[in-house]
Amino acid sequence: MALKNDFRAAMFARRDSQDRLKLLMNDMVIEEQLCQMRCSYCLTEDFNLLMNVPDARLRLTTDRRADWHQVLASYHASVDSPIMRLSGGEFFWLKGSTEFVAECSSMYEVVQVITNGVFLTPQRLEKLAELGNVQLCLSLDGHTLAMNDHRLPPKQHKLFDVIMRNLDNAAKMGIPIEIQSVLSDKNADGQADFARFLLDNYGEGVMLYFFPVRGDNKDSLAPPLGDHFAELLDRYDELETVLPPRPFVELIGAQLRTGERTLRCFATATMVQLFGQGDVSCCPYAWLSPMGNIQEQPTLIHEQFGKHQHYDMFMQPRPRFPYCKSCTGPIDVVNLYLMGEISETEIARCAPYAGPAALARLRELKAAFDPIFSQ
């Protein structure tokens, strides 16, 4: 209990001159139920089908930027963070999405947009590239259609060529790109070849991340337990340019062997999950019932950050919540950095954290937690 309280004290201690919490990232999800894809492993599969959202057409064709900015203003009154991560649903399916990214780019050192890549038209990419601090996180499970079998059902096979063409265009325009590959029984053994493809075609402009299928879907879609990353780790030096730091790759390889995460997670200590309608959750990966709504309770984040009962589940020395035991993601490069397993030079290779403001915030976080780790 004392150790948990020490972590919470460290979380609360990071305030700026305006008494705002100093966090790493604003993880903002907008219209999470609206996506045109049919990924079989999607955690919101029951909700993201267009025909199941009664007012979907209105939501897609109405510019709601004023509402999103109102939510952001409430967030900024309580929190300072150098990085913004935007996602949906499919965010670029929404009217006004490109304009909103442009408006947010002046508020953050980096704005990263998670996308399935279908709507990355040349015109949109040109506008994003001109901003200079916008990055993309592309969901893609491999460089072949077969590796994307759980992402693209037969009726959507034609989208594969569209996504690959858009990836090519984005890379040629110099937009930094993270690729998130969901590891399943269709692609876990092919990630070394995927990395080689990215290296040959794009080099250091792209970095490949991966995480195993999460939640209940892992029981039917995950690869059998085994040493699926043996080749990738053997070839790490060859492929390093397009791979995250080695400890991250080793972490994923270990989880594929054992089927269970053991690394502690500090995502809830570095950010909150902000939704487009104002709801706030403590974890950006496990969408539990919100802690509240920032529009209805402007002081919500100040009052609940680190205190809400959900933090008791997530701030454990080892993952205890069932979902956490099957969860990994790009945020683990931050976890590994905070725990001293990844150096500042290594994490600076990861595009969202390469800027001076992000690195300074990471140093602050690490300085706050180091005395506790030393116990």
Side-chain angles (χ1 to χ4, degrees):
M1 180 63 71
L3 193 61
K4 185 188 298 183
N5 289 336
D6 286 344
F7 272 114
R8 291 188 175 185
M11 292 165 69
F12 291 123
R14 300 190 310 275
R15 305 289 179 111
D16 68 5
S17 60
Q18 301 175 51
D19 197 35
R20 299 183 301 173
L21 286 164
K22 299 171 74 174
L23 302 183
L24 177 65
M25 184 183 300
N26 173 11
D27 192 303
M28 188 173 186
V29 176
I30 297 177
E31 300 291 2
E32 66 276 8
Q33 75 280 25
L34 294 180
C35 182
Q36 91 291 359
M37 300 281 277
R38 299 293 182 268
C39 305
S40 57
Y41 46 62
C42 184
L43 293 175
T44 55
E45 186 179 10
D46 292 337
F47 308 102
N48 73 349
L49 303 183
L50 180 59
M51 67 285 291
N52 290 340
V53 182
D55 60 346
R57 296 292 180 189
L58 178 63
R59 289 177 176 272
L60 287 171
T61 57
T62 302
D63 190 329
R64 294 176 177 262
R65 279 181 290 158
D67 296 338
W68 305 338
H69 278 299
Q70 189 174 14
V71 171
L72 269 186
S74 297
Y75 173 86
H76 290 153
S78 297
V79 180
D80 169 73
S81 49
I83 301 170
M84 182 183 205
R85 183 168 63 190
L86 275 170
S87 62
E90 172 47 45
F91 182 68
F92 284 131
W93 203 15
L94 306 177
K95 185 176 178 61
S97 55
T98 305
E99 292 80 2
F100 186 66
V101 172
E103 291 155 3
C104 290
S105 71
S106 64
M107 306 177 193
Y108 293 88
E109 183 175 61
V110 166
V111 176
Q112 183 189 69
V113 188
I114 299 177
T115 176
N116 59 38
V118 173
F119 300 108
L120 296 178
T121 62
Q123 296 79 9
R124 170 169 280 143
L125 288 172
E126 287 176 7
K127 292 178 181 178
L128 297 178
E130 289 171 359
L131 296 171
N133 66 335
V134 172
Q135 303 177 8
L136 296 174
C137 181
L138 179 64
S139 300
L140 184 67
D141 293 348
H143 58 300
T144 67
L145 180 58
M147 294 177 73
N148 287 273
D149 193 51
H150 290 312
R151 170 162 287 276
L152 294 167
K155 289 184 178 180
Q156 294 189 321
H157 278 181
K158 62 183 180 182
L159 292 179
F160 179 70
D161 290 337
V162 174
I163 295 168
M164 297 303 287
R165 182 171 63 249
N166 292 344
L167 164 62
D168 198 57
N169 289 337
K172 287 177 179 177
M173 292 184 189
I175 300 174
I177 303 167
E178 287 184 356
I179 291 181
Q180 291 195 34
S181 176
V182 179
L183 301 173
S184 69
D185 53 0
K186 302 295 184 181
N187 71 341
D189 293 316
Q191 294 300 303
D193 289 340
F194 188 16
R196 184 72 243 183
F197 169 86
L198 296 173
L199 180 62
D200 289 344
N201 287 276
Y202 309 116
E204 63 184 13
V206 172
M207 183 167 283
L208 173 61
Y209 288 84
F210 8 66
F211 56 87
V213 174
R214 297 168 175 158
D216 294 338
N217 288 323
K218 65 181 174 60
D219 296 331
S220 58
L221 303 180
L225 297 183
D227 205 3
H228 298 284
F229 269 21
E231 180 184 1
L232 188 63
L233 285 165
D234 285 344
R235 298 172 60 188
Y236 183 85
D237 291 344
E238 167 200 345
L239 304 170
E240 180 179 12
T241 300
V242 295
L243 292 177
R246 182 188 286 270
F248 176 87
V249 183
E250 292 173 340
L251 172 70
I252 305 299
Q255 189 164 330
L256 290 171
R257 286 196 308 272
T258 65
E260 188 169 301
R261 177 196 180 98
T262 58
L263 184 74
R264 188 168 187 172
C265 183
F266 299 94
T268 55
T270 63
M271 68 184 81
V272 293
Q273 179 74 81
L274 180 66
F275 290 88
Q277 73 276 22
D279 286 342
V280 178
S281 179
C282 81
C283 179
Y285 298 102
W287 290 353
L288 304 179
S289 298
M291 296 187 289
N293 188 288
I294 199 171
Q295 295 288 76
E296 299 167 3
Q297 304 166 259
T299 59
L300 170 70
I301 297 178
H302 268 308
E303 293 173 356
Q304 296 296 329
F305 182 74
K307 297 180 181 179
H308 192 277
Q309 61 183 354
H310 288 171
Y311 288 90
D312 290 329
M313 292 188 291
F314 293 114
M315 296 289 292
Q316 296 288 335
R318 290 171 66 89
R320 301 289 176 85
F321 193 43
Y323 175 85
C324 297
K325 293 181 179 181
S326 68
C327 180
T328 46
I331 192 61
D332 278 313
V333 296
V334 174
N335 287 322
L336 292 164
Y337 168 79
L338 293 175
M339 298 178 74
E341 301 295 325
I342 285 177
S343 70
E344 183 172 309
T345 300
E346 288 176 304
I347 201 168
R349 286 205 302 113
C350 307
Y353 313 116
L359 287 174
R361 186 57 46 84
L362 282 167
R363 290 188 205 108
E364 291 180 81
L365 288 164
K366 195 172 189 316
F369 288 140
D370 272 349
I372 307 167
F373 287 134
S374 68
Q375 300 178 34

